[in-house]
Amino acid sequence: MQLNEQRVDIRKRMRNLRKNLSKEVQEQAAKSLYINISQVANITKNTRIGGYLSNDGEPDLSLVFKEMWSKKAKPHLPIIHPFTRTHLLFQEYEKNSPMKANRYGIFEPELNCSHICPVAELDFILTPLVAFDSQGNRLGMGGGYYDRTLAQIPDNAVKKPVLIGIAHQCQEVDALPIASWDVPLDYIVTPERIYCPDR
Ligand SMILES: Nc1ncnc2c1ncn2[C@@H]1O[C@H](COP(=O)(O)OP(=O)(O)OP(=O)(O)O)[C@@H](O)[C@H]1O
Ligand SMILES: [Mg+2]
């Protein structure tokens, strides 16, 4: 099978697996992830964290957002860039942020330029993913949004966001067929494990 066919096949299988997880499994996953994420991301006042609102069976981060707000940290959510439409912007997510559905039906904060954080200035980014491997490789939904956005972070930046992939355990594969543009992760956190790929 060609590389692209393999990626299409893995996406189909993994999306089915996570969409079929029961409500109980999803609730337990959200609680365990909340604990495991706190082992990797030190969330304190003014820490800037990129997160996501779950969709398509992705693990729910609501507990993590609540914790961030209670610690006066600054969670951010991705917004599809209004002009390029190929990149993401990260905008602060407050309890009362006005929200609207994007073209995929995913809710995002209504654009407010004064609340945008340049991606390189986030301390952590919790990325959703469709599949991962223990080497830190990540396969997304196929839009290239995260890859394009994370590619903007200069290699020689003094401080870069720590990239943490968030997944259900069933989304692990032995070795992902990776492409040159795929941006690897620093950590992957599942309800059961924390992966710290060595590179
Ligand atoms: N840095 C980049 N610059 C230009 N195009 C890119 C870049 N990264 C990815 N792309 C384009 O995006 C398309 C989708 O990429 P890919 O299949 O890796 O998406 P994905 O990782 O599953 O999605 P996402 O990044 O949204 O999670 C690729 O075919 C590629 O053409
Ligand atoms: Mg990719």
Side-chain angles (χ1 to χ4, degrees):
M1 236 195 289
Q2 298 288 310
L3 181 115
N4 197 42
E5 285 171 43
Q6 290 176 32
R7 287 160 70 95
V8 169
D9 181 62
I10 294 170
R11 283 195 186 97
K12 199 170 156 196
R13 285 193 291 116
M14 294 298 165
R15 288 184 61 188
N16 260 328
L17 279 179
R18 72 178 185 190
K19 274 194 279 198
N20 284 325
L21 295 173
S22 67
K23 191 164 165 272
E24 291 72 27
V25 169
Q26 285 283 3
E27 282 173 4
Q28 188 52 52
K31 288 182 197 156
S32 304
L33 275 166
Y34 163 71
I35 294 166
N36 288 353
I37 289 169
S38 70
Q39 305 294 307
V40 177
N42 185 22
I43 297 168
T44 56
K45 190 174 176 194
N46 293 332
T47 310
R48 289 182 287 188
I49 310 112
Y52 65 87
L53 294 185
S54 60
N55 170 55
D56 198 60
E58 291 162 353
D60 179 18
L61 294 182
S62 309
L63 291 173
V64 184
F65 287 122
K66 277 195 191 130
E67 169 81 354
M68 292 180 200
W69 287 322
S70 76
K71 291 194 165 166
K72 301 204 174 347
K74 295 195 180 308
H76 287 65
L77 285 177
I79 295 185
I80 297 174
H81 194 293
F83 305 132
T84 70
R85 295 181 170 260
T86 50
H87 289 67
L88 301 173
L89 293 171
F90 282 87
Q91 182 170 309
E92 190 174 353
Y93 175 39
E94 295 169 296
K95 276 184 200 157
N96 57 356
S97 294
M99 305 290 285
K100 72 171 185 15
N102 68 17
R103 71 172 92 157
Y104 300 105
I106 303 169
F107 277 82
E108 48 182 51
E110 278 181 26
L111 183 64
N112 175 342
C113 294
S114 64
H115 283 59
I116 299 285
C117 178
V119 66
E121 290 177 23
L122 291 165
D123 298 298
F124 301 97
I125 302 178
L126 310 179
T127 80
L129 56 83
V130 175
F132 70 94
D133 65 25
S134 60
Q135 298 306 300
N137 296 308
R138 172 185 180 279
L139 190 71
M141 295 276 269
Y145 291 98
Y146 277 90
D147 285 322
R148 287 191 204 91
T149 306
L150 300 175
Q152 296 172 321
I153 302 169
D155 277 342
N156 59 356
V158 179
K159 194 181 148 301
K160 295 188 205 184
V162 177
L163 305 181
I164 306 171
I166 307 296
H168 295 288
Q169 194 61 49
C170 62
Q171 291 173 256
E172 181 177 11
V173 299
D174 279 347
L176 271 181
I178 49 169
S180 56
W181 58 80
D182 286 328
V183 177
L185 299 161
D186 298 310
Y187 296 92
I188 295 131
V189 179
T190 73
E192 277 132 72
R193 282 189 61 182
I194 297 171
Y195 298 75
C196 316
D198 200 21
R199 33 181 122 255

